[in-house]
Amino acid sequence: MNAMTHLPPEWHNWIQENLSRGCAPQSLIDDMVRNHFDPVFARAAVNGVMSGPFVAASKPQPQAQSPAGYVYERPRLHAGNLIRTSDRDVRVVTRVNRPMIAVLDGVLSEEECDELIRRSSDKMRRSTTVDPLTGKHEVIADRSSEGTFFTLNADPFIARLDRRISEVMNWPVENGEGLQILHYGIGGEYKPHFDYFPPEDPGSQVQMTIGGQRVSTMVMYLNEVEEGGTTIFPEIGMEVVPKKGSAVYFEYTNSQNQLDRLTLHGGSPVTRGEKWIVTKWMRQRKYGESAT
């Protein structure tokens, strides 16, 4: 039986009622998992009801609502239709203001995409995610991909990409985690999740000792996917189709350390062909640096 990844109205009401009675959020998540909900989806649903924007499947929302209390500040991403970097011009195709999302064209050249795939093909391993309790990296069923990574400025080729990506994201190079390469075959997907570290998870504190919270993400597409493999933002009904060399960028942590839950996102299943992407996550401080 496939785990459920949609929220019927009766479950939405059940979460609201139990939260109002003072039930612990984790107990609700555990109950939902026992009732065949996907674990990542269950956590996102409970957190979403707590903060307001999560809506039952049969209750259409005319427009996305800001999470309770979240302050949308001036985006880090440069204004305008063209972002000029030290070695390449990147075109802005689409912007969304709430949450802050942008689709970008020409972040990588075709040759750079091919080179990243070539360098990664022989060292791919099953992808992991951060365990919410321990902060350790674990293999989970919700992330059916394989991956590898390159340390920051690993060599001249990677350093050139790290610099350009930093200029596009308008955030210091040294605050970035190393480039992560992911490969999805037929059926490969990554169910809806947040890229930031949820403060209610004990494991998040472990991760945030080395550079603080994540503040933004850029997912770059390394090939054309025949069918499926889109990047989805279920809270706002947005879907980004992979295009070789293009990217989707989004921000989710502001200067007040608030977190934007509208950036819930995932990778839809690949139904034909394969999907290669490279991801860059930015932190509040220099990556690897402990708070003083």
Side-chain angles (χ1 to χ4, degrees):
M1 180 178 179
N2 292 330
M4 291 176 63
T5 55
H6 69 282
L7 191 68
E10 59 270 22
W11 277 97
H12 183 274
N13 295 336
W14 177 85
I15 294 171
Q16 284 184 320
E17 290 170 4
N18 282 281
L19 287 172
S20 66
R21 291 194 301 113
C23 292
Q26 186 59 52
S27 70
L28 305 187
I29 295 167
D30 293 341
D31 283 344
M32 291 178 71
V33 172
R34 281 192 289 270
N35 282 274
H36 311 296
F37 278 91
D38 171 80
V40 175
F41 179 84
R43 180 175 296 278
V46 172
N47 289 341
V49 172
M50 288 171 64
S51 60
F54 208 99
V55 178
S58 66
K59 295 181 179 179
Q61 195 174 17
Q63 62 180 21
Q65 300 297 310
S66 304
Y70 188 85
V71 177
Y72 287 95
E73 301 169 334
R74 181 176 180 178
R76 300 180 189 91
L77 193 75
H78 297 286
N81 300 335
L82 196 68
I83 300 173
R84 297 189 181 278
T85 74
S86 54
D87 66 345
R88 189 172 179 83
D89 289 347
V90 174
R91 186 163 296 279
V92 180
V93 178
T94 301
R95 287 182 189 267
V96 177
N97 293 323
R98 299 189 177 191
M100 199 287 125
I101 302 173
V103 179
L104 310 171
D105 200 17
V107 176
L108 301 172
S109 70
E110 291 202 6
E111 294 75 17
E112 289 167 338
C113 293
D114 294 341
E115 178 65 9
L116 283 171
I117 293 175
R118 186 192 69 78
R119 290 180 175 220
S120 306
S121 296
D122 62 351
K123 57 177 187 174
M124 305 296 283
R125 298 290 184 270
R126 179 66 188 271
S127 299
T128 61
T129 192
V130 175
D131 185 278
L133 296 178
T134 66
K136 296 180 179 179
H137 290 267
E138 305 286 351
V139 172
I140 62 169
D142 296 323
R143 193 178 196 186
S144 50
S145 63
E146 54 181 1
T148 188
F149 72 96
F150 296 93
T151 57
L152 197 65
N153 299 323
D155 58 43
F157 173 71
I158 297 298
R160 185 174 81 241
L161 299 186
D162 280 329
R163 178 182 179 184
R164 182 191 309 154
I165 292 166
S166 166
E167 291 171 346
V168 172
M169 299 178 77
N170 197 24
W171 206 245
V173 172
E174 60 269 21
N175 289 30
E177 299 181 35
L179 293 174
Q180 183 182 66
I181 313 294
L182 294 174
H183 173 252
Y184 296 83
I186 296 290
E189 65 177 319
Y190 195 179
K191 293 181 179 177
H193 60 282
F194 299 110
D195 275 1
Y196 59 72
F197 303 113
E200 65 271 17
D201 292 344
S204 293
Q205 302 309 313
V206 176
Q207 285 294 319
M208 290 192 291
T209 59
I210 50 171
Q213 182 63 270
R214 285 175 175 166
V215 298
S216 59
T217 296
M218 189 154 71
V219 178
M220 294 151 276
Y221 305 104
L222 301 181
N223 74 314
E224 305 286 344
V225 182
E226 291 184 54
E227 190 174 290
T230 56
T231 301
I232 56 174
F233 293 85
E235 291 286 5
I236 63 169
M238 182 176 181
E239 191 169 7
V240 181
V241 176
K243 177 186 176 185
K244 188 173 183 177
S246 70
V248 58
Y249 166 87
F250 48 104
E251 301 175 3
Y252 37 79
T253 305
N254 64 17
S255 64
Q256 302 175 41
N257 290 323
Q258 295 175 321
L259 303 171
D260 190 350
R261 296 184 183 275
L262 290 183
T263 57
L264 182 75
H265 66 286
S268 69
V270 174
T271 53
R272 187 163 52 182
E274 60 180 345
K275 173 185 175 183
W276 287 87
I277 61 173
V278 54
T279 300
K280 170 69 78 172
W281 293 296
M282 288 293 187
R283 298 288 192 105
Q284 291 172 316
R285 306 188 303 273
K286 180 178 179 182
Y287 184 57
E289 176 182 86
S290 299
T292 54

